[in-house]
Coordinates of all heavy atoms in Angstrom, one line a residue:
M26 N 70.4 19.5 -52.1 CA 69.3 20.4 -52.0 C 68.9 20.6 -50.6 O 68.0 20.0 -50.1 CB 68.1 19.9 -52.8 CG 68.3 20.0 -54.3 SD 67.0 19.6 -55.4 CE 65.7 19.3 -54.8
I27 N 69.7 21.4 -49.9 CA 69.4 21.6 -48.5 C 69.0 23.2 -48.4 O 69.7 24.0 -49.0 CB 70.5 21.4 -47.6 CG1 70.9 19.9 -47.7 CG2 70.3 21.8 -46.2 CD1 72.1 19.4 -47.0
G28 N 68.1 23.6 -47.7 CA 67.7 25.0 -47.5 C 66.4 25.2 -48.3 O 65.8 24.4 -48.7
E29 N 66.1 26.5 -48.2 CA 64.9 27.1 -48.9 C 65.2 28.2 -49.9 O 66.4 28.7 -49.9 CB 64.0 27.5 -47.8 CG 63.5 26.7 -46.8 CD 64.3 26.6 -45.7 OE1 65.2 27.5 -45.4 OE2 64.2 25.5 -44.8
V30 N 64.3 28.4 -50.7 CA 64.4 29.4 -51.7 C 63.5 30.6 -51.3 O 62.3 30.3 -51.0 CB 64.0 28.9 -53.1 CG1 64.2 30.1 -54.1 CG2 64.9 27.8 -53.5
S31 N 64.0 31.7 -51.3 CA 63.1 32.9 -50.8 C 62.6 33.6 -52.0 O 63.3 34.0 -52.8 CB 63.9 33.8 -49.9 OG 63.2 34.9 -49.6
L32 N 61.2 33.6 -52.1 CA 60.7 34.5 -53.0 C 59.6 35.5 -52.5 O 58.7 35.1 -51.9 CB 59.8 33.5 -54.1 CG 60.4 32.6 -54.9 CD1 59.6 31.7 -55.7 CD2 61.3 33.4 -55.9
Y33 N 60.0 36.8 -52.6 CA 59.3 37.8 -51.9 C 59.0 37.6 -50.5 O 57.9 37.9 -49.9 CB 58.0 38.0 -52.7 CG 58.2 38.3 -54.2 CD1 57.8 37.4 -55.1 CD2 58.7 39.6 -54.6 CE1 58.0 37.7 -56.5 CE2 58.9 39.9 -55.9 CZ 58.5 39.0 -56.9 OH 58.7 39.2 -58.1
G34 N 60.0 37.1 -49.7 CA 59.9 36.9 -48.3 C 59.2 35.6 -47.9 O 59.1 35.3 -46.8
M35 N 58.7 34.9 -48.9 CA 58.3 33.5 -48.6 C 59.1 32.5 -48.9 O 59.9 32.5 -49.9 CB 56.8 33.3 -49.3 CG 55.9 34.2 -48.9 SD 54.3 34.0 -49.9 CE 54.0 32.3 -49.8
Y36 N 59.4 31.5 -48.0 CA 60.3 30.5 -48.2 C 59.7 29.1 -48.7 O 58.6 28.7 -48.3 CB 61.0 30.1 -46.9 CG 61.9 31.2 -46.5 CD1 61.4 32.0 -45.5 CD2 63.1 31.4 -46.9 CE1 62.2 33.1 -45.0 CE2 63.9 32.4 -46.5 CZ 63.5 33.4 -45.6 OH 64.3 34.4 -45.2
F37 N 60.2 28.5 -49.9 CA 59.7 27.4 -50.4 C 60.9 26.4 -50.6 O 62.0 26.7 -50.8 CB 59.3 27.8 -51.8 CG 58.1 28.7 -51.9 CD1 58.3 30.0 -52.3 CD2 56.8 28.2 -51.8 CE1 57.3 30.9 -52.3 CE2 55.8 29.2 -51.8 CZ 55.9 30.5 -52.0
P38 N 60.4 25.1 -50.4 CA 61.4 24.1 -50.7 C 61.8 23.9 -52.1 O 60.9 24.2 -52.9 CB 60.8 22.8 -50.2 CG 59.4 23.0 -50.2 CD 59.2 24.5 -50.0
P39 N 62.9 23.7 -52.5 CA 63.5 23.7 -53.8 C 62.7 22.6 -54.7 O 62.6 22.7 -55.9 CB 65.0 23.4 -53.8 CG 65.4 23.7 -52.3 CD 64.2 23.6 -51.5
L40 N 62.3 21.5 -54.0 CA 61.7 20.5 -54.7 C 60.3 20.9 -55.2 O 59.8 20.5 -56.3 CB 61.5 19.2 -53.9 CG 60.9 17.9 -54.6 CD1 61.8 17.6 -55.8 CD2 60.8 16.8 -53.6
L41 N 59.6 21.7 -54.5 CA 58.3 22.3 -54.9 C 58.5 23.1 -56.1 O 57.7 23.0 -57.1 CB 57.7 23.1 -53.8 CG 56.5 23.8 -54.2 CD1 55.4 22.8 -54.5 CD2 55.9 24.8 -53.0
L42 N 59.5 24.0 -56.3 CA 59.7 24.8 -57.4 C 60.1 24.0 -58.6 O 59.8 24.3 -59.7 CB 60.8 25.9 -57.2 CG 60.4 26.8 -55.9 CD1 61.6 27.8 -55.7 CD2 59.2 27.6 -56.2
L43 N 61.0 23.1 -58.3 CA 61.4 22.1 -59.5 C 60.2 21.3 -60.0 O 60.1 20.9 -61.1 CB 62.5 21.2 -59.1 CG 63.9 21.9 -58.9 CD1 64.8 20.9 -58.4 CD2 64.3 22.4 -60.1
A44 N 59.3 20.9 -59.0 CA 58.0 20.1 -59.5 C 57.1 21.1 -60.3 O 56.5 20.6 -61.2 CB 57.3 19.7 -58.2
L45 N 57.0 22.3 -59.9 CA 56.2 23.3 -60.7 C 56.8 23.4 -62.2 O 56.0 23.5 -63.2 CB 56.1 24.6 -60.1 CG 55.2 24.6 -58.8 CD1 55.3 26.0 -58.0 CD2 53.8 24.3 -59.1
L46 N 58.1 23.5 -62.2 CA 58.8 23.7 -63.5 C 58.7 22.4 -64.3 O 58.4 22.5 -65.4 CB 60.3 24.1 -63.2 CG 61.1 24.2 -64.5 CD1 60.6 25.4 -65.4 CD2 62.6 24.4 -64.1
A47 N 58.8 21.3 -63.6 CA 58.7 19.9 -64.4 C 57.2 19.8 -64.8 O 57.0 19.3 -65.9 CB 58.9 18.8 -63.5
F48 N 56.2 20.3 -64.2 CA 54.8 20.2 -64.6 C 54.6 21.0 -65.8 O 54.0 20.5 -66.7 CB 54.0 20.7 -63.5 CG 52.4 20.7 -63.9 CD1 51.7 19.5 -64.0 CD2 51.8 21.9 -64.2 CE1 50.4 19.5 -64.4 CE2 50.5 21.8 -64.5 CZ 49.8 20.7 -64.6
V49 N 55.2 22.3 -65.9 CA 55.1 23.1 -67.0 C 55.7 22.4 -68.3 O 55.2 22.4 -69.3 CB 55.6 24.4 -66.7 CG1 55.7 25.3 -68.1 CG2 54.8 25.1 -65.8
V50 N 56.9 22.0 -68.1 CA 57.7 21.4 -69.2 C 57.0 20.1 -69.7 O 56.9 19.8 -70.8 CB 59.2 21.0 -68.7 CG1 59.9 20.2 -69.7 CG2 59.9 22.2 -68.5
S51 N 56.4 19.2 -68.8 CA 55.8 18.0 -69.2 C 54.4 18.3 -69.9 O 54.0 17.6 -70.7 CB 55.5 17.1 -68.0 OG 54.7 17.7 -67.1
R52 N 53.7 19.4 -69.5 CA 52.5 19.8 -70.3 C 52.9 20.2 -71.6 O 52.2 19.9 -72.5 CB 51.8 21.0 -69.4 CG 51.1 20.4 -68.1 CD 50.1 19.3 -68.4 NE 49.1 20.0 -69.2 CZ 48.0 19.2 -69.7 NH1 48.0 18.0 -69.6 NH2 47.1 19.9 -70.4
L53 N 54.0 20.9 -71.9 CA 54.4 21.3 -73.0 C 54.8 20.2 -74.0 O 54.4 20.1 -75.2 CB 55.6 22.4 -73.0 CG 55.2 23.7 -72.5 CD1 56.5 24.5 -72.3 CD2 54.3 24.6 -73.3
C54 N 55.4 19.2 -73.3 CA 55.8 18.0 -74.1 C 54.4 17.2 -74.4 O 54.5 16.6 -75.6 CB 56.7 17.0 -73.3 SG 58.4 17.6 -73.1
N55 N 53.6 17.2 -73.5 CA 52.2 16.5 -73.8 C 51.5 17.2 -75.1 O 51.0 16.4 -75.8 CB 51.3 16.6 -72.6 CG 51.8 15.6 -71.5 OD1 52.5 14.9 -71.6 ND2 51.3 16.0 -70.3
R56 N 51.6 18.4 -75.0 CA 50.9 19.2 -76.2 C 51.5 18.8 -77.5 O 51.0 18.6 -78.5 CB 50.8 20.7 -76.0 CG 49.8 20.9 -74.9 CD 49.6 22.3 -74.7 NE 48.7 22.5 -73.6 CZ 47.5 23.3 -73.6 NH1 47.3 23.9 -74.6 NH2 46.9 23.4 -72.6
V57 N 52.8 18.8 -77.6 CA 53.7 18.6 -78.7 C 53.4 17.1 -79.1 O 53.1 16.8 -80.3 CB 55.1 18.8 -78.5 CG1 55.9 18.3 -79.7 CG2 55.5 20.3 -78.3
L58 N 53.4 16.2 -78.2 CA 53.2 14.7 -78.6 C 51.8 14.5 -79.1 O 51.5 13.7 -79.9 CB 53.5 13.8 -77.3 CG 55.0 13.8 -77.0 CD1 55.2 13.0 -75.6 CD2 55.8 13.1 -78.0
A59 N 50.7 15.2 -78.5 CA 49.4 15.1 -78.9 C 49.2 15.6 -80.3 O 48.4 15.0 -81.1 CB 48.4 15.8 -77.9
R60 N 49.8 16.7 -80.6 CA 49.7 17.2 -82.0 C 50.3 16.5 -82.9 O 49.8 16.4 -84.2 CB 50.3 18.7 -82.0 CG 49.4 19.7 -81.4 CD 50.1 21.1 -81.5 NE 49.2 22.0 -80.8 CZ 48.5 23.1 -81.4 NH1 48.4 23.1 -82.6 NH2 47.9 23.9 -80.6
T61 N 51.4 15.7 -82.6 CA 52.0 14.8 -83.6 C 51.4 13.4 -83.8 O 51.8 12.7 -84.7 CB 53.5 14.5 -83.2 OG1 53.6 13.9 -81.9 CG2 54.3 15.9 -83.2
G62 N 50.3 13.1 -82.9 CA 49.7 11.9 -83.0 C 50.4 10.8 -82.3 O 50.0 9.6 -82.6
F63 N 51.3 11.1 -81.4 CA 52.0 10.0 -80.7 C 51.2 9.2 -79.7 O 51.4 7.9 -79.5 CB 53.2 10.8 -79.9 CG 54.0 9.7 -79.1 CD1 54.9 9.0 -79.8 CD2 53.8 9.6 -77.7 CE1 55.7 8.1 -79.0 CE2 54.6 8.8 -77.0 CZ 55.5 8.0 -77.7
Y64 N 50.1 9.9 -79.2 CA 49.3 9.1 -78.2 C 48.5 8.1 -78.9 O 47.9 7.2 -78.0 CB 48.4 10.1 -77.5 CG 49.2 10.8 -76.4 CD1 49.5 12.2 -76.6 CD2 49.5 10.3 -75.2 CE1 50.2 12.9 -75.6 CE2 50.1 10.9 -74.3 CZ 50.6 12.1 -74.4 OH 51.2 12.8 -73.4
R65 N 48.3 7.9 -80.1 CA 47.7 6.8 -80.8 C 48.5 5.5 -80.5 O 47.8 4.4 -80.6 CB 47.6 7.1 -82.2 CG 46.6 8.1 -82.7 CD 46.4 8.3 -84.1 NE 47.6 8.8 -84.5 CZ 48.3 8.5 -85.8 NH1 47.7 7.7 -86.5 NH2 49.4 9.2 -86.2
H66 N 49.8 5.5 -80.3 CA 50.7 4.4 -80.1 C 50.9 4.1 -78.6 O 51.6 3.2 -78.3 CB 52.0 4.7 -80.7 CG 51.9 5.0 -82.2 ND1 51.3 4.0 -83.1 CD2 52.0 6.1 -82.9 CE1 51.4 4.7 -84.4 NE2 51.8 5.9 -84.2
V67 N 50.3 4.9 -77.8 CA 50.6 4.8 -76.3 C 49.4 3.9 -75.7 O 48.2 4.1 -75.9 CB 50.6 6.2 -75.6 CG1 50.7 5.9 -74.1 CG2 51.8 6.9 -76.1
W68 N 49.7 3.0 -74.9 CA 48.6 2.1 -74.3 C 47.8 2.8 -73.3 O 46.6 2.6 -73.4 CB 49.4 0.8 -73.7 CG 48.5 0.0 -72.9 CD1 47.4 -0.9 -73.5 CD2 48.4 -0.2 -71.5 NE1 46.7 -1.4 -72.4 CE2 47.3 -1.1 -71.2 CE3 49.0 0.3 -70.5 CZ2 46.9 -1.4 -69.9 CZ3 48.8 -0.1 -69.2 CH2 47.7 -0.9 -69.0
H69 N 48.5 3.5 -72.3 CA 47.8 4.1 -71.2 C 48.1 5.7 -71.2 O 49.2 5.8 -70.6 CB 47.9 3.4 -70.0 CG 46.8 3.6 -69.0 ND1 46.8 4.8 -68.3 CD2 45.9 2.9 -68.5 CE1 45.8 4.8 -67.5 NE2 45.3 3.6 -67.6
P70 N 47.6 6.5 -71.8 CA 48.1 8.0 -71.8 C 48.3 8.6 -70.4 O 49.3 9.2 -70.3 CB 47.0 8.7 -72.6 CG 46.3 7.7 -73.4 CD 46.3 6.4 -72.6
A71 N 47.4 8.2 -69.4 CA 47.6 8.9 -68.1 C 48.8 8.4 -67.6 O 49.6 9.1 -66.9 CB 46.3 8.6 -67.3
L72 N 49.1 7.0 -67.6 CA 50.4 6.5 -67.1 C 51.5 7.0 -67.7 O 52.7 7.4 -67.2 CB 50.5 5.0 -67.2 CG 49.5 4.2 -66.2 CD1 49.7 2.7 -66.5 CD2 49.9 4.6 -64.8
F73 N 51.5 7.3 -69.0 CA 52.6 7.9 -69.9 C 52.9 9.2 -69.5 O 53.9 9.7 -69.3 CB 52.2 7.8 -71.3 CG 53.5 8.4 -72.2 CD1 54.5 7.5 -72.4 CD2 53.3 9.6 -72.7 CE1 55.5 8.1 -73.3 CE2 54.3 10.2 -73.5 CZ 55.4 9.5 -73.8
D74 N 51.8 9.9 -69.2 CA 51.9 11.4 -68.7 C 52.6 11.4 -67.4 O 53.4 12.3 -67.1 CB 50.6 12.1 -68.7 CG 50.1 12.4 -70.1 OD1 50.7 12.4 -71.0 OD2 48.8 12.7 -70.3
F75 N 52.2 10.6 -66.5 CA 52.7 10.6 -65.2 C 54.3 10.1 -65.2 O 55.1 10.8 -64.6 CB 52.0 9.6 -64.2 CG 52.7 9.4 -62.8 CD1 52.7 10.6 -62.0 CD2 53.3 8.3 -62.4 CE1 53.2 10.5 -60.7 CE2 53.8 8.2 -61.2 CZ 53.7 9.2 -60.3
S76 N 54.5 9.2 -66.1 CA 56.0 8.8 -66.2 C 56.8 9.9 -66.8 O 57.9 10.1 -66.4 CB 56.2 7.5 -66.8 OG 55.6 7.7 -68.2
L77 N 56.2 10.5 -67.7 CA 57.0 11.7 -68.4 C 57.2 12.8 -67.3 O 58.3 13.4 -67.3 CB 56.1 12.4 -69.6 CG 56.7 13.5 -70.3 CD1 58.0 13.0 -71.0 CD2 55.7 14.0 -71.3
F78 N 56.2 13.1 -66.4 CA 56.4 14.1 -65.4 C 57.5 13.6 -64.5 O 58.3 14.5 -64.1 CB 55.2 14.3 -64.7 CG 55.3 15.1 -63.4 CD1 55.5 16.5 -63.4 CD2 55.3 14.4 -62.1 CE1 55.6 17.2 -62.2 CE2 55.5 15.3 -61.0 CZ 55.8 16.5 -61.2
V79 N 57.5 12.4 -64.0 CA 58.5 12.0 -63.2 C 60.1 11.9 -63.8 O 61.0 12.3 -63.1 CB 58.3 10.5 -62.7 CG1 59.5 9.7 -61.9 CG2 57.0 10.4 -61.8
M80 N 60.0 11.6 -65.1 CA 61.4 11.7 -65.7 C 61.8 13.1 -65.9 O 63.1 13.4 -65.6 CB 61.3 11.1 -67.2 CG 61.1 9.5 -67.1 SD 61.2 8.7 -68.8 CE 59.8 9.4 -69.4
V81 N 60.9 14.1 -66.2 CA 61.4 15.4 -66.3 C 61.8 15.9 -64.9 O 62.7 16.6 -64.8 CB 60.2 16.3 -66.8 CG1 60.5 17.8 -66.7 CG2 60.0 15.9 -68.4
L82 N 61.0 15.6 -63.9 CA 61.3 16.1 -62.5 C 62.6 15.5 -62.0 O 63.6 16.1 -61.6 CB 60.2 15.7 -61.6 CG 60.5 16.0 -60.1 CD1 60.6 17.5 -59.9 CD2 59.4 15.5 -59.2
G83 N 62.9 14.2 -62.3 CA 64.2 13.5 -62.0 C 65.3 14.2 -62.7 O 66.4 14.4 -62.1
S84 N 65.1 14.5 -64.0 CA 66.2 15.2 -64.7 C 66.5 16.5 -64.2 O 67.6 16.9 -64.2 CB 66.0 15.2 -66.2 OG 64.8 16.0 -66.5
L85 N 65.4 17.3 -63.8 CA 65.6 18.8 -63.3 C 66.3 18.5 -62.0 O 67.2 19.5 -61.6 CB 64.4 19.3 -63.2 CG 63.7 19.9 -64.4 CD1 62.3 20.5 -64.1 CD2 64.6 21.0 -65.1
V86 N 66.0 17.7 -61.1 CA 66.6 17.5 -59.8 C 68.0 17.1 -59.9 O 69.1 17.6 -59.4 CB 65.8 16.5 -58.9 CG1 66.7 16.1 -57.7 CG2 64.5 17.0 -58.5
Y87 N 68.3 16.2 -61.0 CA 69.7 15.8 -61.1 C 70.6 16.8 -61.7 O 71.7 17.1 -61.2 CB 69.8 14.5 -62.1 CG 71.0 14.1 -62.4 CD1 71.8 13.3 -61.5 CD2 71.8 14.3 -63.6 CE1 73.1 12.8 -61.8 CE2 73.0 13.8 -63.9 CZ 73.7 13.1 -62.9 OH 74.9 12.6 -63.1
F88 N 70.1 17.6 -62.7 CA 71.0 18.6 -63.4 C 70.8 19.9 -62.7 O 71.7 20.8 -62.7 CB 70.5 18.8 -64.9 CG 70.9 17.7 -65.7 CD1 70.0 16.9 -66.3 CD2 72.2 17.3 -65.9 CE1 70.2 15.9 -67.1 CE2 72.5 16.2 -66.7 CZ 71.6 15.5 -67.3
G89 N 69.8 20.2 -61.8 CA 69.6 21.5 -61.2 C 70.1 21.3 -59.7 O 69.7 22.3 -58.9
S90 N 70.7 20.3 -59.3 CA 71.0 20.2 -57.9 C 72.2 21.3 -57.4 O 72.3 21.6 -56.3 CB 71.5 18.7 -57.6 OG 72.8 18.5 -58.4
N91 N 72.8 21.9 -58.4 CA 73.9 22.8 -58.1 C 73.2 24.3 -58.0 O 74.0 25.1 -57.6 CB 75.0 22.8 -59.1 CG 75.8 21.6 -59.0 OD1 75.8 20.9 -58.0 ND2 76.3 21.1 -60.1
W92 N 72.0 24.3 -58.3 CA 71.3 25.7 -58.3 C 71.0 26.1 -57.0 O 71.2 27.3 -56.6 CB 70.1 25.8 -59.1 CG 70.2 25.5 -60.6 CD1 71.4 25.8 -61.3 CD2 69.3 25.3 -61.5 NE1 71.0 25.6 -62.6 CE2 69.8 25.2 -62.8 CE3 67.8 25.1 -61.5 CZ2 69.1 24.9 -63.9 CZ3 67.2 24.8 -62.5 CH2 67.7 24.8 -63.8
F93 N 70.7 25.2 -56.0 CA 70.2 25.5 -54.7 C 71.1 25.2 -53.7 O 71.6 24.2 -53.5 CB 68.8 24.7 -54.5 CG 67.7 25.1 -55.5 CD1 67.3 24.3 -56.5 CD2 67.2 26.3 -55.5 CE1 66.4 24.6 -57.4 CE2 66.2 26.7 -56.4 CZ 65.8 25.7 -57.3

């Protein structure tokens, strides 16, 4: 992941764009898990949400490293 991504003449680091995408994906997962009642079995929901975000971001960086 070297370089920048140009969006309408503005340059952004690829990690920032992947972090925004990971945030959206993790929020969607949070809503699905909340509707299914999964959070009743989670000890600390905030830590679980953060770890879910980190796992999604890590997988996007790993699998999306060829995009940029």
Side-chain angles (χ1 to χ4, degrees):
M26 286 190 0
I27 299 174
E29 296 90 14
V30 176
S31 176
L32 292 175
Y33 300 109
M35 295 175 52
Y36 292 101
F37 296 100
L40 185 60
L41 176 66
L42 299 177
L43 288 175
L45 290 174
L46 181 62
F48 179 74
V49 171
V50 170
S51 65
R52 289 297 295 168
L53 290 174
C54 290
N55 288 343
R56 290 189 183 231
V57 169
L58 291 174
R60 285 186 187 245
T61 60
F63 179 77
Y64 281 105
R65 289 182 290 144
H66 305 291
V67 174
W68 172 68
H69 201 289
L72 287 177
F73 181 81
D74 291 342
F75 178 69
S76 64
L77 181 65
F78 170 75
V79 170
M80 288 188 295
V81 170
L82 179 60
S84 63
L85 285 176
V86 168
Y87 180 74
F88 292 118
S90 62
N91 294 331
W92 291 346
F93 303 107

